[in-house]
Amino acid sequence: MDEPSEARYMRRKVKAGLIEADHEECAIVVHYEVEATVLGELGEPIVAERQENQKRIKLKTLNENSNLPRLAEEIVDKCKLIHASKLPQ
């Protein structure tokens, strides 16, 4: 008969990192880190793993006549990795 397995839960944190321009592809590259932690029955961390990722946001509508503040708002609305506090930058 199987022994009772320890109940486990997963906690996931996403940390935004560097935001940079990719001039060759007309895109913004958002670097971020995902930290996944498996928790034991009492909430104690058992296994933690970190993975660095990046997301490319292609700016298809960007041209010399673009409304940059409006484009920036659209990007922030669509990409949860970029916090609204980054808009003035």
Side-chain angles (χ1 to χ4, degrees), residues 59-74:
L59 305 174
K60 297 173 187 169
T61 61
L62 182 63
N63 61 45
E64 62 275 353
N65 299 320
S66 294
N67 180 340
L68 296 182
R70 187 167 185 191
L71 180 60
E73 284 179 25
E74 282 181 39

Side-chain angles (χ1 to χ4, degrees), residues 6-83:
E6 189 175 317
R8 294 188 178 184
Y9 306 95
M10 178 79 84
R11 180 176 62 201
R12 187 173 162 242
K13 280 187 189 177
V14 178
K15 294 180 188 176
L18 181 67
I19 300 171
E20 60 186 350
D22 181 340
H23 301 287
E24 291 178 16
E25 289 189 29
C26 193
I28 294 175
V29 181
V30 181
H31 298 268
Y32 64 100
E33 181 181 87
V34 177
E35 182 180 297
T37 307
V38 176
L39 303 174
E41 209 171 281
L42 302 174
E44 75 281 4
I46 296 174
V47 178
E49 195 174 301
R50 289 183 183 186
Q51 183 177 8
E52 292 189 13
N53 297 297
Q54 56 181 248
K55 177 176 180 133
R56 281 186 187 282
I57 304 167
K58 292 191 178 181
L59 305 174
K60 297 173 187 169
T61 61
L62 182 63
N63 61 45
E64 62 275 353
N65 299 320
S66 294
N67 180 340
L68 296 182
R70 187 167 185 191
L71 180 60
E73 284 179 25
E74 282 181 39
I75 292 168
V76 169
D77 286 343
K78 291 180 182 177
C79 181
K80 301 299 181 202
L81 296 168
I82 303 174
H83 193 270

